[in-house]
Short mmCIF file of all heavy atoms in Angstrom, two decimals:
data_model
loop_
_atom_site.label_atom_id
_atom_site.label_comp_id
_atom_site.label_asym_id
_atom_site.label_seq_id
_atom_site.Cartn_x
_atom_site.Cartn_y
_atom_site.Cartn_z
N LEU Y 54 -11.59 26.97 2.55
CA LEU Y 54 -12.63 26.92 3.57
C LEU Y 54 -12.22 27.76 4.77
O LEU Y 54 -13.04 28.50 5.33
CB LEU Y 54 -12.87 25.47 4.00
CG LEU Y 54 -13.92 25.24 5.09
CD1 LEU Y 54 -15.29 25.74 4.64
CD2 LEU Y 54 -13.99 23.77 5.47
N ALA Y 55 -10.95 27.65 5.18
CA ALA Y 55 -10.48 28.43 6.31
C ALA Y 55 -10.58 29.92 6.02
O ALA Y 55 -10.98 30.71 6.89
CB ALA Y 55 -9.03 28.05 6.64
N GLU Y 56 -10.25 30.33 4.81
CA GLU Y 56 -10.32 31.75 4.45
C GLU Y 56 -11.75 32.26 4.52
O GLU Y 56 -12.01 33.36 5.02
CB GLU Y 56 -9.76 31.95 3.05
CG GLU Y 56 -9.60 33.40 2.67
CD GLU Y 56 -8.80 33.57 1.39
OE1 GLU Y 56 -8.24 32.58 0.89
OE2 GLU Y 56 -8.74 34.71 0.90
N LEU Y 57 -12.70 31.46 4.03
CA LEU Y 57 -14.11 31.85 4.09
C LEU Y 57 -14.58 31.98 5.54
O LEU Y 57 -15.26 32.96 5.91
CB LEU Y 57 -14.97 30.81 3.36
CG LEU Y 57 -16.49 30.97 3.52
CD1 LEU Y 57 -16.97 32.26 2.87
CD2 LEU Y 57 -17.22 29.76 2.93
N GLN Y 58 -14.22 31.01 6.36
CA GLN Y 58 -14.70 31.00 7.75
C GLN Y 58 -14.09 32.13 8.57
O GLN Y 58 -14.74 32.65 9.48
CB GLN Y 58 -14.40 29.66 8.39
CG GLN Y 58 -15.21 28.51 7.81
CD GLN Y 58 -14.73 27.17 8.29
OE1 GLN Y 58 -13.53 26.90 8.31
NE2 GLN Y 58 -15.67 26.30 8.67
N VAL Y 59 -12.86 32.51 8.27
CA VAL Y 59 -12.19 33.55 9.05
C VAL Y 59 -12.57 34.95 8.56
O VAL Y 59 -12.84 35.85 9.35
CB VAL Y 59 -10.66 33.36 8.98
CG1 VAL Y 59 -9.94 34.56 9.59
CG2 VAL Y 59 -10.26 32.10 9.73
N LYS Y 60 -12.63 35.13 7.22
CA LYS Y 60 -12.89 36.47 6.67
C LYS Y 60 -14.38 36.79 6.60
O LYS Y 60 -14.76 37.95 6.67
CB LYS Y 60 -12.25 36.59 5.29
CG LYS Y 60 -10.73 36.53 5.33
CD LYS Y 60 -10.13 36.73 3.95
CE LYS Y 60 -8.60 36.75 4.03
NZ LYS Y 60 -7.98 36.95 2.69
N ARG Y 61 -15.20 35.78 6.44
CA ARG Y 61 -16.65 36.02 6.35
C ARG Y 61 -17.38 35.05 7.29
O ARG Y 61 -18.14 34.18 6.85
CB ARG Y 61 -17.13 35.84 4.92
CG ARG Y 61 -16.39 36.73 3.92
CD ARG Y 61 -16.93 36.57 2.52
NE ARG Y 61 -18.31 37.06 2.40
CZ ARG Y 61 -19.03 36.97 1.29
NH1 ARG Y 61 -18.50 36.40 0.21
NH2 ARG Y 61 -20.26 37.44 1.25
N PRO Y 62 -17.15 35.14 8.58
CA PRO Y 62 -17.72 34.17 9.52
C PRO Y 62 -19.25 34.23 9.62
O PRO Y 62 -19.88 33.27 10.07
CB PRO Y 62 -17.08 34.54 10.86
CG PRO Y 62 -16.74 35.99 10.71
CD PRO Y 62 -16.35 36.17 9.28
N ALA Y 63 -19.84 35.34 9.23
CA ALA Y 63 -21.30 35.48 9.37
C ALA Y 63 -22.05 34.46 8.53
O ALA Y 63 -23.10 33.96 8.94
CB ALA Y 63 -21.73 36.89 9.00
N LEU Y 64 -21.52 34.13 7.35
CA LEU Y 64 -22.23 33.22 6.44
C LEU Y 64 -22.36 31.82 7.04
O LEU Y 64 -23.48 31.28 7.16
CB LEU Y 64 -21.52 33.18 5.08
CG LEU Y 64 -21.66 34.44 4.23
CD1 LEU Y 64 -20.88 34.29 2.93
CD2 LEU Y 64 -23.14 34.71 3.92
N PRO Y 65 -21.25 31.16 7.43
CA PRO Y 65 -21.41 29.83 8.04
C PRO Y 65 -22.17 29.86 9.36
O PRO Y 65 -22.93 28.94 9.67
CB PRO Y 65 -19.97 29.33 8.23
CG PRO Y 65 -19.12 30.54 8.13
CD PRO Y 65 -19.83 31.50 7.25
N LEU Y 66 -22.01 30.93 10.15
CA LEU Y 66 -22.72 31.00 11.41
C LEU Y 66 -24.22 31.19 11.22
O LEU Y 66 -25.03 30.65 11.97
CB LEU Y 66 -22.15 32.13 12.28
CG LEU Y 66 -20.75 31.89 12.85
CD1 LEU Y 66 -20.30 33.08 13.67
CD2 LEU Y 66 -20.72 30.62 13.69
N LEU Y 67 -24.60 31.98 10.17
CA LEU Y 67 -26.03 32.17 9.88
C LEU Y 67 -26.67 30.85 9.47
O LEU Y 67 -27.74 30.48 9.97
CB LEU Y 67 -26.20 33.22 8.79
CG LEU Y 67 -27.66 33.47 8.35
CD1 LEU Y 67 -28.48 34.00 9.52
CD2 LEU Y 67 -27.70 34.45 7.17
N ALA Y 68 -25.99 30.13 8.57
CA ALA Y 68 -26.53 28.84 8.12
C ALA Y 68 -26.60 27.85 9.29
O ALA Y 68 -27.60 27.14 9.46
CB ALA Y 68 -25.65 28.28 7.00
N THR Y 69 -25.53 27.85 10.09
CA THR Y 69 -25.51 26.96 11.25
C THR Y 69 -26.62 27.31 12.23
O THR Y 69 -27.30 26.43 12.78
CB THR Y 69 -24.15 27.06 11.96
OG1 THR Y 69 -23.12 26.66 11.06
CG2 THR Y 69 -24.11 26.17 13.19
N GLY Y 70 -26.82 28.60 12.47
CA GLY Y 70 -27.85 29.04 13.41
C GLY Y 70 -29.24 28.65 12.97
O GLY Y 70 -30.06 28.20 13.78
N ILE Y 71 -29.55 28.79 11.69
CA ILE Y 71 -30.88 28.43 11.18
C ILE Y 71 -31.12 26.94 11.36
O ILE Y 71 -32.19 26.52 11.83
CB ILE Y 71 -31.01 28.84 9.70
CG1 ILE Y 71 -31.01 30.36 9.56
CG2 ILE Y 71 -32.29 28.25 9.08
CD1 ILE Y 71 -30.96 30.86 8.13
N LEU Y 72 -30.14 26.13 11.00
CA LEU Y 72 -30.28 24.68 11.15
C LEU Y 72 -30.44 24.29 12.62
O LEU Y 72 -31.21 23.38 12.95
CB LEU Y 72 -29.06 23.97 10.55
CG LEU Y 72 -28.96 23.98 9.03
CD1 LEU Y 72 -27.64 23.35 8.58
CD2 LEU Y 72 -30.13 23.23 8.40
N THR Y 73 -29.72 24.99 13.50
CA THR Y 73 -29.78 24.65 14.92
C THR Y 73 -31.14 24.99 15.52
O THR Y 73 -31.69 24.22 16.33
CB THR Y 73 -28.67 25.38 15.68
OG1 THR Y 73 -27.40 25.04 15.10
CG2 THR Y 73 -28.67 25.00 17.16
N VAL Y 74 -31.71 26.12 15.13
CA VAL Y 74 -33.04 26.50 15.63
C VAL Y 74 -34.08 25.46 15.20
O VAL Y 74 -34.92 25.03 15.98
CB VAL Y 74 -33.43 27.90 15.13
CG1 VAL Y 74 -34.90 28.18 15.42
CG2 VAL Y 74 -32.56 28.95 15.79
N ILE Y 75 -34.00 25.04 13.93
CA ILE Y 75 -34.93 24.02 13.44
C ILE Y 75 -34.73 22.72 14.21
O ILE Y 75 -35.70 22.05 14.62
CB ILE Y 75 -34.73 23.80 11.92
CG1 ILE Y 75 -35.10 25.06 11.15
CG2 ILE Y 75 -35.56 22.61 11.44
CD1 ILE Y 75 -34.75 24.98 9.67
N ALA Y 76 -33.47 22.34 14.42
CA ALA Y 76 -33.17 21.10 15.14
C ALA Y 76 -33.68 21.15 16.57
O ALA Y 76 -34.23 20.16 17.08
CB ALA Y 76 -31.67 20.83 15.12
N LEU Y 77 -33.50 22.28 17.24
CA LEU Y 77 -33.97 22.41 18.62
C LEU Y 77 -35.49 22.30 18.69
O LEU Y 77 -36.04 21.67 19.61
CB LEU Y 77 -33.52 23.75 19.20
CG LEU Y 77 -32.04 23.85 19.58
CD1 LEU Y 77 -31.68 25.28 19.97
CD2 LEU Y 77 -31.70 22.90 20.72
N PHE Y 78 -36.17 22.89 17.72
CA PHE Y 78 -37.64 22.77 17.69
C PHE Y 78 -38.06 21.32 17.55
O PHE Y 78 -38.97 20.85 18.24
CB PHE Y 78 -38.19 23.60 16.53
CG PHE Y 78 -39.66 23.36 16.28
CD1 PHE Y 78 -40.61 23.90 17.13
CD2 PHE Y 78 -40.09 22.58 15.21
CE1 PHE Y 78 -41.97 23.68 16.91
CE2 PHE Y 78 -41.43 22.35 14.98
CZ PHE Y 78 -42.38 22.90 15.84
N LEU Y 79 -37.38 20.60 16.67
CA LEU Y 79 -37.72 19.18 16.49
C LEU Y 79 -37.37 18.37 17.73
O LEU Y 79 -38.14 17.49 18.16
CB LEU Y 79 -36.96 18.63 15.28
CG LEU Y 79 -37.38 19.17 13.91
CD1 LEU Y 79 -36.42 18.69 12.83
CD2 LEU Y 79 -38.81 18.74 13.57
N ALA Y 80 -36.22 18.66 18.34
CA ALA Y 80 -35.77 17.88 19.50
C ALA Y 80 -36.72 18.04 20.69
O ALA Y 80 -36.90 17.09 21.47
CB ALA Y 80 -34.36 18.30 19.91
N THR Y 81 -37.34 19.20 20.84
CA THR Y 81 -38.26 19.40 21.97
C THR Y 81 -39.52 18.56 21.83
O THR Y 81 -40.28 18.41 22.79
CB THR Y 81 -38.66 20.88 22.09
OG1 THR Y 81 -39.24 21.33 20.85
CG2 THR Y 81 -37.44 21.74 22.42
N ARG Y 82 -39.76 18.01 20.66
CA ARG Y 82 -40.95 17.19 20.44
C ARG Y 82 -40.68 15.72 20.71
O ARG Y 82 -41.59 14.89 20.59
CB ARG Y 82 -41.46 17.38 19.01
CG ARG Y 82 -41.82 18.82 18.67
CD ARG Y 82 -42.21 18.98 17.22
NE ARG Y 82 -43.41 18.23 16.90
CZ ARG Y 82 -43.87 18.06 15.66
NH1 ARG Y 82 -43.22 18.60 14.64
NH2 ARG Y 82 -44.97 17.37 15.46
N LEU Y 83 -39.46 15.37 21.05
CA LEU Y 83 -39.15 13.97 21.37
C LEU Y 83 -39.82 13.58 22.68
O LEU Y 83 -39.89 14.36 23.62
CB LEU Y 83 -37.64 13.78 21.50
CG LEU Y 83 -36.82 13.71 20.21
CD1 LEU Y 83 -35.34 13.81 20.53
CD2 LEU Y 83 -37.13 12.43 19.44
N HIS Y 84 -40.31 12.35 22.75
CA HIS Y 84 -40.84 11.82 23.99
C HIS Y 84 -40.16 10.48 24.27
O HIS Y 84 -39.59 9.86 23.37
CB HIS Y 84 -42.36 11.65 23.94
CG HIS Y 84 -42.83 10.68 22.90
ND1 HIS Y 84 -42.91 11.00 21.55
CD2 HIS Y 84 -43.24 9.39 22.99
CE1 HIS Y 84 -43.34 9.95 20.87
NE2 HIS Y 84 -43.55 8.96 21.71
N VAL Y 85 -40.22 10.06 25.51
CA VAL Y 85 -39.52 8.85 25.95
C VAL Y 85 -40.52 7.71 26.13
O VAL Y 85 -41.52 7.86 26.84
CB VAL Y 85 -38.76 9.09 27.27
CG1 VAL Y 85 -37.99 7.84 27.66
CG2 VAL Y 85 -37.82 10.27 27.13
N LEU Y 86 -40.25 6.58 25.47
CA LEU Y 86 -41.05 5.37 25.68
C LEU Y 86 -40.42 4.61 26.84
O LEU Y 86 -39.25 4.26 26.80
CB LEU Y 86 -41.04 4.51 24.41
CG LEU Y 86 -41.55 5.19 23.13
CD1 LEU Y 86 -41.46 4.23 21.95
CD2 LEU Y 86 -42.97 5.66 23.31
N THR Y 87 -41.22 4.35 27.88
CA THR Y 87 -40.66 3.81 29.12
C THR Y 87 -40.80 2.30 29.25
O THR Y 87 -40.21 1.71 30.14
CB THR Y 87 -41.33 4.46 30.34
OG1 THR Y 87 -42.75 4.23 30.27
CG2 THR Y 87 -41.10 5.97 30.34
N GLY Y 88 -41.58 1.66 28.39
CA GLY Y 88 -41.80 0.22 28.53
C GLY Y 88 -40.68 -0.60 27.91
O GLY Y 88 -40.02 -0.18 26.95
N PHE Y 89 -40.48 -1.82 28.45
CA PHE Y 89 -39.48 -2.72 27.88
C PHE Y 89 -39.83 -3.08 26.44
O PHE Y 89 -38.95 -3.37 25.63
CB PHE Y 89 -39.39 -3.99 28.71
CG PHE Y 89 -38.54 -3.86 29.94
CD1 PHE Y 89 -38.94 -4.43 31.14
CD2 PHE Y 89 -37.35 -3.17 29.90
CE1 PHE Y 89 -38.16 -4.31 32.28
CE2 PHE Y 89 -36.56 -3.04 31.03
CZ PHE Y 89 -36.97 -3.61 32.23
N GLU Y 90 -41.14 -3.07 26.11
CA GLU Y 90 -41.53 -3.45 24.75
C GLU Y 90 -40.99 -2.49 23.71
O GLU Y 90 -40.85 -2.84 22.53
CB GLU Y 90 -43.06 -3.55 24.64
CG GLU Y 90 -43.81 -2.24 24.77
CD GLU Y 90 -44.07 -1.86 26.21
OE1 GLU Y 90 -43.56 -2.55 27.12
OE2 GLU Y 90 -44.78 -0.85 26.44
N SER Y 91 -40.66 -1.24 24.12
CA SER Y 91 -40.12 -0.27 23.18
C SER Y 91 -38.70 -0.63 22.76
O SER Y 91 -38.16 -0.03 21.83
CB SER Y 91 -40.13 1.14 23.80
OG SER Y 91 -39.24 1.21 24.91
N LEU Y 92 -38.08 -1.60 23.44
CA LEU Y 92 -36.72 -2.02 23.10
C LEU Y 92 -36.70 -3.15 22.07
O LEU Y 92 -35.64 -3.53 21.61
CB LEU Y 92 -35.99 -2.48 24.37
CG LEU Y 92 -35.89 -1.44 25.49
CD1 LEU Y 92 -35.20 -2.05 26.71
CD2 LEU Y 92 -35.14 -0.21 25.03
#
Side-chain angles (χ1 to χ4, degrees):
L54 179 61
E56 189 169 352
L57 171 66
Q58 291 170 314
V59 171
K60 294 183 177 180
R61 304 183 66 183
L64 289 178
L66 289 179
L67 178 62
T69 299
I71 293 173
L72 288 175
T73 303
V74 169
I75 295 173
L77 285 172
F78 171 75
L79 292 172
T81 57
R82 300 175 64 189
L83 283 168
H84 63 281
V85 183
L86 303 178
T87 58
F89 279 138
E90 68 275 7
S91 66
L92 302 177

